[in-house]
Amino acid sequence: MRYIDGHRRVLEAYGVTKVTSANVDWMYAPNSYISTVETDEGKVLAGCRVQLAGGDLAMPIETAISNLDPRIHDIIAELQEKGGTAELCGLWNSREVAGWGIGSIVMGQVGVALCEQLPITTMVAFCAQATFKNCQRLGFIIKNELGNNGTFYYPKEDLIATALIIPDPVVLASAHPLVRDKIFDLRARPVQRMVEKGPKGEMELDYNIRISQQVVNA
């Protein structure tokens, strides 16, 4: 609930009151995984979600653009058949930590790092303009066959969102080399302490991104 509240506050700060990744139905689905950055006191400063395809819950990207381009359903179904897919979604960070090195790129790295622990061979995303460059650094490429060369007016007419995919979340051939190295390091050492640096200074983070196999197999 603290993750949800933080996400809602960030969206409202940008004047966005309705977005599919903010839907809370995923709370009751076994194939949803959230990661958060929290202070020692338990305050959530940033977060992201990885939503596996399958089951009764539609992917956020499907709900967002199905009325604009119904092909999204067939694309997700095909990716699921080819080895499983998931969506990186619900990514946010509070303005109070902007510039301290724990922004969207850090949460994105965590989300992509989790791929190796999950039964998937691709990862999709539907990102806003503000996070597009960071998504590219993570290894996402534009899904050009959707919308207008992958782009849509969403969630309102003056905002653009882009449909993306990582076709090789294990290899990450399209990722920025430094970002790829960070993701590989997190996969090799899912529990570690690391200093994250930003233009305003540094923050020491204790990472723990290991998923219990009992959870994955549930």
Side-chain angles (χ1 to χ4, degrees):
M1 292 305 298
R2 286 180 288 127
Y3 161 85
I4 292 169
D5 185 60
H7 189 197
R8 177 184 57 80
R9 290 175 184 271
V10 169
L11 291 173
E12 288 177 350
Y14 285 95
V16 176
T17 57
K18 186 176 181 181
V19 62
T20 55
S21 63
N23 185 295
V24 299
D25 290 346
W26 56 266
M27 287 179 59
Y28 311 101
N31 54 352
S32 303
Y33 301 86
I34 64 167
S35 301
T36 58
V37 176
E38 299 182 18
T39 65
D40 290 336
E41 295 75 30
K43 184 177 182 179
V44 177
L45 302 175
C48 73
R49 186 166 101 247
V50 174
Q51 182 73 50
L52 271 65
D56 298 327
L57 187 64
M59 305 269 275
I61 190 173
E62 292 183 87
T63 305
I65 68 175
S66 59
N67 289 337
L68 303 172
D69 194 335
R71 290 175 297 175
I72 184 62
H73 295 304
D74 291 336
I75 287 174
I76 294 298
E78 182 179 358
L79 294 174
Q80 180 68 356
E81 290 176 3
K82 287 184 175 179
T85 192
E87 182 174 352
L88 180 63
C89 55
L91 190 154
W92 64 272
N93 65 276
S94 63
R95 288 183 170 182
E96 65 189 284
V97 296
W100 288 94
I102 57 171
S104 63
I105 189 65
V106 169
M107 296 313 305
Q109 287 168 170
V110 167
V112 176
L114 291 176
C115 288
E116 198 173 52
Q117 301 180 60
L118 299 171
I120 61 174
T121 56
T122 55
M123 175 171 263
V124 299
F126 191 48
C127 78
Q129 288 174 294
T131 54
F132 177 72
K133 288 185 177 180
N134 277 343
C135 284
Q136 286 186 309
R137 290 166 61 85
L138 293 167
F140 282 98
I141 59 176
I142 299 175
K143 197 69 173 165
N144 288 300
E145 61 265 43
L146 288 168
N148 181 15
N149 290 321
T151 64
F152 296 83
Y153 289 110
Y154 181 87
K156 50 185 184 176
E157 290 185 358
D158 58 339
L159 295 176
I160 294 176
T162 306
L164 305 169
I165 186 170
I166 299 179
D168 57 348
V170 175
V171 178
L172 296 173
S174 298
H176 187 283
L178 294 178
V179 174
R180 185 190 305 118
D181 289 346
K182 178 70 173 292
I183 292 170
F184 286 175
D185 184 49
L186 286 171
R187 288 175 176 174
R189 298 184 298 143
V191 181
Q192 61 171 289
R193 177 169 291 182
M194 188 181 302
V195 175
E196 300 292 353
K197 299 179 180 180
K200 291 184 180 178
E202 300 178 347
M203 277 196 179
E204 190 174 68
L205 264 62
D206 288 315
Y207 281 91
N208 185 349
I209 64 168
R210 182 181 290 134
I211 302 175
S212 167
Q213 280 304 116
Q214 290 180 330
V215 174
V216 175
N217 295 328

